[in-house]
Every structure is written in structure tokens, then in C-alpha cells.
Amino acid sequence: MKPGIEVVGLYVRDQDEALAFYVEKLGFRVHTDVGNGDYRWLTVQHPEQPLFQLGLFRPGPPVLDAATAQTVRELVAKGAMPPLVLTVDNCRAAFDRMLGLGVEFTQEPVDRYGTVDAGFRDPSGNGWKMIQARG
Amino acid sequence: MSEPPASQDPALLRRLLRAKDRMDAASHEEWPVGRLAQVSGVSEAHFARSFKQAFGIPPHRYLLTRRIERAMALLRETDRPITDIAFDTGWASLGTFGRTFRDVTGDSPSAIRSRGRATAHELGRVPLCIASAAQRPDLTTAVSEKRRRTADGTNEPQQQESP
């Protein structure tokens, strides 16, 4: 295995809901889905980026106490988590396809500085930017 | 130090976020509380209280920050006439736009335009809504209060408008 960042996690309100979203709507695939008691280690992977996993974690024990978990759930729900960036080959085509699948867009594709820029949210409230790769 | 904000139901917060996102996406449109409440699926009274609790400022003032932010982006990144920018960002009159813009940002639109142009090309690396949000005015004080304090030359403690 090559050294480097393997997993970066984001918080989601429901792991099954998030899994369906990232796999069925964004085209990711499941990398790891392992339960350990109440804790579920769930990561997905972009098909073009096999060395990187996106973790889909639910705030709660054993990592977070109850009060902290509630605070985090509220922060996620009000869109307060940092932005994520997804690069695509064709932003407008991806937008049309995803919109057709019911993805919640916050910004339609905009031409800007030689590329195209759009924004969407996952069901939990996490905000994504979708940017067309510069050719 | 103020108390930590009261807890809010994450499901409600997610619905409030949709209303906020809709204002972001079309800040030039009219967004009366009734329309926002409908987007969120809550009553009007509940909406106004909850939105401020969640995001720190009332919905109308939030919309105002978005309109000014959008105007600032257009001033920096385009050569369009100020009049067109004012109308396209939702202002009914050029006079209202100019006065509110100065009250909120402390600068005239033309001054913002000339200063902003120098660094515009560096913004290309930043996603659009992040670059735009970086220019968002801070409106924890109502515009009318800012205007009054400027006119009086006073610096009284800030007074929050009631929802």
C-alpha cells in the first residue's frame, strides 16, 4: 500500500441513506462496510480514485458522547460542515444526470474562469462543489 | 459570554437549510416569510424564530447580505453598468441600492469595483460560492441601526431588532 491519506470521513444522519445516495446517485462504490457492535465502519470509493476512501460516519458512541453527537447532528443538518469538492469531466452533463435522479442542487452550473462550477447537497446537509476538470 | 444556543431538532434544521439554500440560489427574487416557511414546511411564526436561532440573523437580513454579496461579485468580475447590477440583484431602485450598499459595506459600488478588479483573476481557483461568500457583509446589526449610528456619530451597544 502506498503511503498517504487513505480515508477522510464526513458525518451523515443515516448511513443506509448516505450509502444509497453516494452509490446510486453519485456513482461511488462500497469499499468497506463492517459492523462492530453499534458502530459501523462504512467507506465508499470513487471509481476513478481507488486509493481514496470517503468515510460515511454517524455521529455517536463510541467516538462521541451523547451531547457532542447531538451538537454535531445539528451542525451537519444546518449545512455547517466544510465544503467538499468533486471534479467531473463534464459538469453540465453530470448536473443533468444527477438532477434527474433527484439530487438537491444549491447552484446550477456556472461558467467561470475557464471551467464550470455547480453545487449540491447530500441528504444529510453536507455541501459539495462540483467542478469541471480543466482540460 | 452568551449562553450556548438552545438545541434544535436536526430534521427542522435540515428544512431551514433548504430555505436558506433557495435564497442563496435566487437572492434577486422576493422571499417573504410565507414563501420561506412553505419551502421549509413549517408555520410562518415558527420559521422566523427558528431561522434566526439556527443561522444567527433574521431571514430578511440574511437575504440582504446575499444580494449585496452578489452585487459585489458582479462589480468585481464584470463590466456591467451599476444600474443593471442593481436591478439584476433584486433592487427596485438605483437609489435604494446605492444607499444600502454604502451603509452595509462602507463603500460606494464604484469604489468596490475599482479595488476588487486588481485581485479578481486569483479567484479562479476557488469554488464560486466560497469566493462569493468571502465578500459577504456581516449584518449582525440592522441596516437602519447602522445608518442611525453613522448619522449620530455614536457607537452605542448594538441593538438587535426583534423578529
Side-chain angles (χ1 to χ4, degrees), chain B residues 136-154:
Chain B
R136 186 175 304 172
D138 176 22
L139 260 190
T140 52
T141 305
V143 176
S144 56
E145 178 62 21
K146 276 197 178 200
R147 197 171 284 160
R148 191 194 64 77
R149 285 195 282 116
T150 301
D152 289 357
T154 63

PDB file of all heavy atoms in Angstrom, chain B residues 136-154:
ATOM      1  N   ARG B 136     -19.095  38.422   1.675  1.00  0.00           N
ATOM      2  CA  ARG B 136     -20.418  38.671   2.242  1.00  0.00           C
ATOM      3  C   ARG B 136     -20.321  39.650   3.408  1.00  0.00           C
ATOM      4  O   ARG B 136     -19.501  39.475   4.303  1.00  0.00           O
ATOM      5  CB  ARG B 136     -21.021  37.354   2.725  1.00  0.00           C
ATOM      6  CG  ARG B 136     -22.452  37.476   3.213  1.00  0.00           C
ATOM      7  CD  ARG B 136     -23.018  36.115   3.561  1.00  0.00           C
ATOM      8  NE  ARG B 136     -22.919  35.198   2.430  1.00  0.00           N
ATOM      9  CZ  ARG B 136     -23.205  33.906   2.508  1.00  0.00           C
ATOM     10  NH1 ARG B 136     -23.602  33.382   3.650  1.00  0.00           N
ATOM     11  NH2 ARG B 136     -23.094  33.142   1.447  1.00  0.00           N
ATOM     12  N   PRO B 137     -21.165  40.689   3.395  1.00  0.00           N
ATOM     13  CA  PRO B 137     -21.108  41.629   4.523  1.00  0.00           C
ATOM     14  C   PRO B 137     -21.639  40.988   5.794  1.00  0.00           C
ATOM     15  O   PRO B 137     -22.504  40.123   5.763  1.00  0.00           O
ATOM     16  CB  PRO B 137     -22.014  42.772   4.063  1.00  0.00           C
ATOM     17  CG  PRO B 137     -22.932  42.168   3.059  1.00  0.00           C
ATOM     18  CD  PRO B 137     -22.143  41.089   2.381  1.00  0.00           C
ATOM     19  N   ASP B 138     -21.108  41.444   6.919  1.00  0.00           N
ATOM     20  CA  ASP B 138     -21.570  40.985   8.218  1.00  0.00           C
ATOM     21  C   ASP B 138     -22.720  41.888   8.646  1.00  0.00           C
ATOM     22  O   ASP B 138     -22.548  43.090   8.787  1.00  0.00           O
ATOM     23  CB  ASP B 138     -20.417  41.087   9.212  1.00  0.00           C
ATOM     24  CG  ASP B 138     -20.847  40.729  10.619  1.00  0.00           C
ATOM     25  OD1 ASP B 138     -21.865  40.023  10.764  1.00  0.00           O
ATOM     26  OD2 ASP B 138     -20.180  41.151  11.569  1.00  0.00           O
ATOM     27  N   LEU B 139     -23.889  41.308   8.830  1.00  0.00           N
ATOM     28  CA  LEU B 139     -25.060  42.127   9.154  1.00  0.00           C
ATOM     29  C   LEU B 139     -25.704  41.671  10.450  1.00  0.00           C
ATOM     30  O   LEU B 139     -26.896  41.388  10.505  1.00  0.00           O
ATOM     31  CB  LEU B 139     -26.072  42.058   8.003  1.00  0.00           C
ATOM     32  CG  LEU B 139     -26.070  43.237   7.055  1.00  0.00           C
ATOM     33  CD1 LEU B 139     -27.256  43.165   6.113  1.00  0.00           C
ATOM     34  CD2 LEU B 139     -26.096  44.555   7.802  1.00  0.00           C
ATOM     35  N   THR B 140     -24.908  41.632  11.506  1.00  0.00           N
ATOM     36  CA  THR B 140     -25.493  41.295  12.801  1.00  0.00           C
ATOM     37  C   THR B 140     -26.273  42.478  13.365  1.00  0.00           C
ATOM     38  O   THR B 140     -27.050  42.331  14.286  1.00  0.00           O
ATOM     39  CB  THR B 140     -24.414  40.872  13.807  1.00  0.00           C
ATOM     40  OG1 THR B 140     -23.409  41.879  13.841  1.00  0.00           O
ATOM     41  CG2 THR B 140     -23.792  39.554  13.391  1.00  0.00           C
ATOM     42  N   THR B 141     -26.042  43.655  12.780  1.00  0.00           N
ATOM     43  CA  THR B 141     -26.803  44.848  13.159  1.00  0.00           C
ATOM     44  C   THR B 141     -27.726  45.222  12.012  1.00  0.00           C
ATOM     45  O   THR B 141     -27.337  45.155  10.856  1.00  0.00           O
ATOM     46  CB  THR B 141     -25.849  46.031  13.427  1.00  0.00           C
ATOM     47  OG1 THR B 141     -24.900  45.632  14.401  1.00  0.00           O
ATOM     48  CG2 THR B 141     -26.604  47.249  13.920  1.00  0.00           C
ATOM     49  N   ALA B 142     -28.944  45.618  12.334  1.00  0.00           N
ATOM     50  CA  ALA B 142     -29.881  46.021  11.288  1.00  0.00           C
ATOM     51  C   ALA B 142     -29.338  47.233  10.536  1.00  0.00           C
ATOM     52  O   ALA B 142     -28.657  48.084  11.109  1.00  0.00           O
ATOM     53  CB  ALA B 142     -31.238  46.351  11.900  1.00  0.00           C
ATOM     54  N   VAL B 143     -29.645  47.299   9.246  1.00  0.00           N
ATOM     55  CA  VAL B 143     -29.157  48.395   8.412  1.00  0.00           C
ATOM     56  C   VAL B 143     -29.599  49.742   8.970  1.00  0.00           C
ATOM     57  O   VAL B 143     -28.829  50.704   9.005  1.00  0.00           O
ATOM     58  CB  VAL B 143     -29.657  48.240   6.964  1.00  0.00           C
ATOM     59  CG1 VAL B 143     -29.227  49.439   6.130  1.00  0.00           C
ATOM     60  CG2 VAL B 143     -29.106  46.965   6.358  1.00  0.00           C
ATOM     61  N   SER B 144     -30.844  49.815   9.436  1.00  0.00           N
ATOM     62  CA  SER B 144     -31.357  51.093   9.940  1.00  0.00           C
ATOM     63  C   SER B 144     -30.555  51.556  11.150  1.00  0.00           C
ATOM     64  O   SER B 144     -30.329  52.747  11.343  1.00  0.00           O
ATOM     65  CB  SER B 144     -32.839  50.960  10.305  1.00  0.00           C
ATOM     66  OG  SER B 144     -33.015  49.907  11.231  1.00  0.00           O
ATOM     67  N   GLU B 145     -30.104  50.602  11.961  1.00  0.00           N
ATOM     68  CA  GLU B 145     -29.312  50.954  13.142  1.00  0.00           C
ATOM     69  C   GLU B 145     -27.932  51.456  12.731  1.00  0.00           C
ATOM     70  O   GLU B 145     -27.410  52.418  13.288  1.00  0.00           O
ATOM     71  CB  GLU B 145     -29.183  49.741  14.063  1.00  0.00           C
ATOM     72  CG  GLU B 145     -28.328  49.964  15.303  1.00  0.00           C
ATOM     73  CD  GLU B 145     -28.887  51.043  16.229  1.00  0.00           C
ATOM     74  OE1 GLU B 145     -30.108  51.325  16.137  1.00  0.00           O
ATOM     75  OE2 GLU B 145     -28.119  51.617  17.001  1.00  0.00           O
ATOM     76  N   LYS B 146     -27.333  50.803  11.723  1.00  0.00           N
ATOM     77  CA  LYS B 146     -26.032  51.267  11.213  1.00  0.00           C
ATOM     78  C   LYS B 146     -26.152  52.694  10.706  1.00  0.00           C
ATOM     79  O   LYS B 146     -25.302  53.540  10.962  1.00  0.00           O
ATOM     80  CB  LYS B 146     -25.586  50.378  10.048  1.00  0.00           C
ATOM     81  CG  LYS B 146     -24.881  49.105  10.455  1.00  0.00           C
ATOM     82  CD  LYS B 146     -24.139  48.547   9.253  1.00  0.00           C
ATOM     83  CE  LYS B 146     -23.360  47.291   9.614  1.00  0.00           C
ATOM     84  NZ  LYS B 146     -22.302  47.005   8.664  1.00  0.00           N
ATOM     85  N   ARG B 147     -27.239  52.929   9.970  1.00  0.00           N
ATOM     86  CA  ARG B 147     -27.457  54.241   9.375  1.00  0.00           C
ATOM     87  C   ARG B 147     -27.597  55.289  10.466  1.00  0.00           C
ATOM     88  O   ARG B 147     -27.014  56.369  10.399  1.00  0.00           O
ATOM     89  CB  ARG B 147     -28.722  54.161   8.517  1.00  0.00           C
ATOM     90  CG  ARG B 147     -28.910  55.257   7.529  1.00  0.00           C
ATOM     91  CD  ARG B 147     -30.080  54.908   6.608  1.00  0.00           C
ATOM     92  NE  ARG B 147     -29.727  53.903   5.619  1.00  0.00           N
ATOM     93  CZ  ARG B 147     -30.626  53.162   4.969  1.00  0.00           C
ATOM     94  NH1 ARG B 147     -31.919  53.291   5.242  1.00  0.00           N
ATOM     95  NH2 ARG B 147     -30.239  52.294   4.067  1.00  0.00           N
ATOM     96  N   ARG B 148     -28.349  54.949  11.507  1.00  0.00           N
ATOM     97  CA  ARG B 148     -28.591  55.905  12.576  1.00  0.00           C
ATOM     98  C   ARG B 148     -27.291  56.220  13.308  1.00  0.00           C
ATOM     99  O   ARG B 148     -27.003  57.373  13.614  1.00  0.00           O
ATOM    100  CB  ARG B 148     -29.617  55.331  13.567  1.00  0.00           C
ATOM    101  CG  ARG B 148     -30.139  56.354  14.562  1.00  0.00           C
ATOM    102  CD  ARG B 148     -30.868  55.672  15.704  1.00  0.00           C
ATOM    103  NE  ARG B 148     -29.976  54.826  16.480  1.00  0.00           N
ATOM    104  CZ  ARG B 148     -29.102  55.293  17.361  1.00  0.00           C
ATOM    105  NH1 ARG B 148     -28.979  56.595  17.560  1.00  0.00           N
ATOM    106  NH2 ARG B 148     -28.333  54.478  18.034  1.00  0.00           N
ATOM    107  N   ARG B 149     -26.496  55.194  13.573  1.00  0.00           N
ATOM    108  CA  ARG B 149     -25.265  55.425  14.324  1.00  0.00           C
ATOM    109  C   ARG B 149     -24.273  56.242  13.516  1.00  0.00           C
ATOM    110  O   ARG B 149     -23.521  57.043  14.053  1.00  0.00           O
ATOM    111  CB  ARG B 149     -24.649  54.096  14.769  1.00  0.00           C
ATOM    112  CG  ARG B 149     -25.411  53.495  15.923  1.00  0.00           C
ATOM    113  CD  ARG B 149     -24.631  52.388  16.613  1.00  0.00           C
ATOM    114  NE  ARG B 149     -24.663  51.138  15.881  1.00  0.00           N
ATOM    115  CZ  ARG B 149     -23.591  50.560  15.348  1.00  0.00           C
ATOM    116  NH1 ARG B 149     -22.408  51.124  15.452  1.00  0.00           N
ATOM    117  NH2 ARG B 149     -23.699  49.416  14.725  1.00  0.00           N
ATOM    118  N   THR B 150     -24.273  56.051  12.214  1.00  0.00           N
ATOM    119  CA  THR B 150     -23.402  56.872  11.364  1.00  0.00           C
ATOM    120  C   THR B 150     -23.836  58.325  11.411  1.00  0.00           C
ATOM    121  O   THR B 150     -23.026  59.238  11.559  1.00  0.00           O
ATOM    122  CB  THR B 150     -23.448  56.360   9.913  1.00  0.00           C
ATOM    123  OG1 THR B 150     -23.013  55.008   9.900  1.00  0.00           O
ATOM    124  CG2 THR B 150     -22.558  57.190   9.013  1.00  0.00           C
ATOM    125  N   ALA B 151     -25.153  58.530  11.316  1.00  0.00           N
ATOM    126  CA  ALA B 151     -25.676  59.903  11.302  1.00  0.00           C
ATOM    127  C   ALA B 151     -25.425  60.603  12.630  1.00  0.00           C
ATOM    128  O   ALA B 151     -25.079  61.781  12.681  1.00  0.00           O
ATOM    129  CB  ALA B 151     -27.167  59.871  10.991  1.00  0.00           C
ATOM    130  N   ASP B 152     -25.587  59.832  13.732  1.00  0.00           N
ATOM    131  CA  ASP B 152     -25.412  60.433  15.061  1.00  0.00           C
ATOM    132  C   ASP B 152     -23.951  60.551  15.453  1.00  0.00           C
ATOM    133  O   ASP B 152     -23.611  61.258  16.397  1.00  0.00           O
ATOM    134  CB  ASP B 152     -26.122  59.575  16.117  1.00  0.00           C
ATOM    135  CG  ASP B 152     -27.631  59.686  15.999  1.00  0.00           C
ATOM    136  OD1 ASP B 152     -28.095  60.468  15.142  1.00  0.00           O
ATOM    137  OD2 ASP B 152     -28.323  58.989  16.753  1.00  0.00           O
ATOM    138  N   GLY B 153     -23.100  59.782  14.793  1.00  0.00           N
ATOM    139  CA  GLY B 153     -21.698  59.742  15.191  1.00  0.00           C
ATOM    140  C   GLY B 153     -21.496  59.040  16.511  1.00  0.00           C
ATOM    141  O   GLY B 153     -20.506  59.230  17.202  1.00  0.00           O
ATOM    142  N   THR B 154     -22.451  58.183  16.901  1.00  0.00           N
ATOM    143  CA  THR B 154     -22.338  57.471  18.174  1.00  0.00           C
ATOM    144  C   THR B 154     -21.909  56.034  17.939  1.00  0.00           C
ATOM    145  O   THR B 154     -21.921  55.536  16.827  1.00  0.00           O
ATOM    146  CB  THR B 154     -23.691  57.447  18.908  1.00  0.00           C
ATOM    147  OG1 THR B 154     -24.631  56.723  18.094  1.00  0.00           O
ATOM    148  CG2 THR B 154     -24.196  58.847  19.144  1.00  0.00           C
TER     149      THR B 154
END
